[in-house]
Amino acid sequence: MEKENIYILGIESSCDDTSASILCNDRILSNVVADQKIHAEYGGVVPELASRAHQQNIVPVVHQAIEKAGITKAQLNAVAFTKGPGLMGSLLVGTSFAKSLAYGLDIPLIDVNHMQAHILAHFIDEENHNKPPFPFLAMTISGGHTQIVKVTNYFEMDVLGETIDDAVGEAYDKSGKILGLGYPAGPEIDRRAQLGNPKAYQFTKPKVDGLNFSFSGLKTNILYFIQREVKKNPNFIDENLNDICASIQYTIIGILMAKLKLAVKQTGIKHIAIGGGVSANSGIRKALKDAEQKYGWISYIPKFEYTTDNAAMIAIVGYLKYLEKDFSNFDVMATARLKI
Ligand code: KG4
Ligand code: ZN
């Protein structure tokens, strides 16, 4: 007998991207993302503006996702949505929309943890992408989070370490602000880093025990360094921008890789998956490839479009939960500080 096709609509609205995606089983039929340019003017995400933009975007984005997938609403088997963590006002838009749609269509509602979704995005069926075998280590690196997670099974995850202050993406964005770059600065620092000398300047690495991270000291270190140098030479930033970016990137990647090495040592697990916006970074991608040669690790790097926030990763978790019949009640609440 042929396997029944399951169609899941995923909805993501935890931060500043409104996204909807349709999966047929574990394959993507559509993945529509509306990002919000408005925040660039403010140098960071403004929660009030984000929730307003989600309200404007959600209907057209969901509509487009269904249309692009070439299915009808009536074919949907369930609606999956991001319950948290994220900005409350943003989460509420996706949560209320998902509830009403599932209720109206009389199909199951499935709540999804955004951080689990960044990890389980690796189980979307894609050409040229291997799915990591259990157990594996996942490092989620984004503008809001920095975690190393031991993944024993789809839904059995233990956070081995996380940031005690800023997330790694924030370290990129705040460094960018100091250098007068636009928001988000991660991609621009990464681009310039590839043109500069990574050993031109040295920044102090944080001393945090175990597998936890800290990035706020690095930001201060960079700020004082730049202030000092600009006092001596007002054109310091302009004249040395690529070298500064390369040195910042070298320091950050060094911090991430040192913690990963420790996690591998502690767990004996050499399968490493990364996820989140910063996993688009060329430095971390190269460092992981080098570690395959050097230490025999096997790394799993998401396709570029699944690194930043997207609803395909929400829909794949929806699909995996659907198979388990793990559905939500309609009184489920958005939760800003949801743990894995
Ligand atoms: O996962 P994401 O889209 O949103 C959050 O959940 O935070 O991650 C956004 C973060 C931003 O801080 C951005 O600067 C960073 O990812 N980012 C990068 C790169 N591309 C995006 N950081 C370093 N290098 C990149 N190539
Ligand atoms: Zn994210």
Side-chain angles (χ1 to χ4, degrees):
M1 208 175 73
E2 225 179 274
K3 207 172 109 188
E4 187 198 354
N5 280 335
I6 307 294
Y7 294 97
I8 307 282
L9 164 66
I11 295 175
E12 156 65 28
S13 73
S14 66
C15 189
D16 59 343
D17 294 302
T18 319
S19 178
S21 165
I22 307 281
L23 255 61
C24 173
N25 303 328
D26 56 357
R27 279 178 302 110
I28 294 184
L29 300 183
S30 64
N31 182 38
V32 178
V33 185
D35 59 359
Q36 305 177 356
K37 302 269 182 279
I38 180 95
H39 306 288
E41 289 171 35
Y42 298 88
V45 177
V46 184
E48 271 309 308
L49 296 178
S51 56
R52 202 178 309 158
H54 283 305
Q55 285 171 25
Q56 284 163 353
N57 292 341
I58 193 133
V59 173
V61 163
V62 169
H63 187 78
Q64 257 189 52
I66 294 175
E67 203 171 79
K68 277 196 177 163
I71 64 159
T72 63
K73 278 200 303 262
Q75 285 175 275
L76 291 175
N77 292 85
V79 180
F81 70 97
T82 306
K83 175 182 172 182
L87 300 170
M88 197 55 183
S90 293
L91 289 167
L92 277 172
V93 178
T95 307
S96 336
F97 187 88
K99 278 187 193 179
S100 332
L101 188 63
Y103 191 80
L105 295 173
D106 195 20
I107 54 176
L109 176 71
I110 300 173
D111 63 86
V112 173
N113 180 309
H114 181 92
M115 296 314 292
Q116 280 190 346
H118 269 304
I119 295 171
L120 295 177
H122 285 281
F123 293 91
I124 294 172
D125 190 39
E126 286 281 347
E127 251 173 70
N128 305 321
H129 179 74
N130 295 326
K131 298 176 182 176
F134 298 113
F136 65 92
L137 294 176
M139 184 167 70
T140 38
I141 39 182
S142 74
H145 302 272
T146 308
Q147 292 184 326
I148 295 181
V149 181
K150 180 181 168 192
V151 187
T152 308
N153 220 314
Y154 290 131
F155 301 109
E156 205 182 324
M157 301 189 183
D158 296 294
V159 178
L160 304 181
E162 60 192 329
T163 183
I164 56 168
D165 42 57
D166 292 349
V168 59
E170 268 178 290
Y172 268 101
D173 297 336
K174 288 178 177 173
S175 304
K177 205 168 183 176
I178 295 168
L179 298 172
L181 303 177
Y183 173 87
E188 177 69 3
I189 293 181
D190 185 15
R191 190 184 68 76
R192 289 183 171 276
Q194 294 169 63
L195 307 170
N197 172 10
K199 304 212 170 139
Y201 309 106
Q202 276 178 0
F203 301 110
T204 44
K205 290 200 177 145
K207 292 184 183 59
V208 196
D209 281 345
L211 295 174
N212 283 339
F213 298 87
S214 164
F215 287 101
S216 72
L218 175 64
K219 172 193 64 194
T220 317
N221 189 226
I222 293 169
L223 176 68
Y224 290 164
F225 166 77
I226 295 292
Q227 283 175 343
R228 224 171 29 238
E229 294 301 321
V230 168
K231 224 181 233 171
K232 288 188 260 171
N233 169 12
N235 297 325
F236 176 75
I237 295 178
D238 281 352
E239 287 169 9
N240 302 286
L241 193 50
N242 292 347
D243 285 350
I244 301 169
C245 289
S247 303
I248 292 173
Q249 178 133 312
Y250 181 78
T251 311
I252 291 178
I253 302 306
I255 295 168
L256 295 177
M257 288 305 288
K259 293 292 176 173
L260 266 183
K261 263 187 230 164
L262 184 59
V264 170
K265 194 171 158 205
Q266 284 184 4
T267 61
I269 300 171
K270 289 188 171 182
H271 290 270
I272 317 282
I274 54 170
V278 183
S279 59
N281 184 268
S282 67
I284 190 71
R285 288 175 175 235
K286 183 173 181 306
L288 284 173
K289 284 287 158 222
D290 290 349
E292 293 197 342
Q293 306 293 322
K294 240 167 131 181
Y295 314 118
W297 295 5
I298 298 134
S299 60
Y300 302 84
I301 298 174
K303 251 179 98 176
F304 190 74
E305 59 254 54
Y306 310 129
T307 54
T308 48
D309 291 346
N310 66 84
M313 68 182 198
I314 305 303
I316 187 70
V317 183
Y319 173 65
L320 295 168
K321 282 190 156 187
Y322 185 90
L323 296 179
E324 301 290 315
K325 296 202 167 21
D326 186 357
F327 304 141
S328 323
N329 289 325
F330 278 83
D331 57 3
V332 60
M333 305 272 276
T335 309
R337 292 183 170 273
L338 190 64
K339 296 245 178 256
I340 268 190

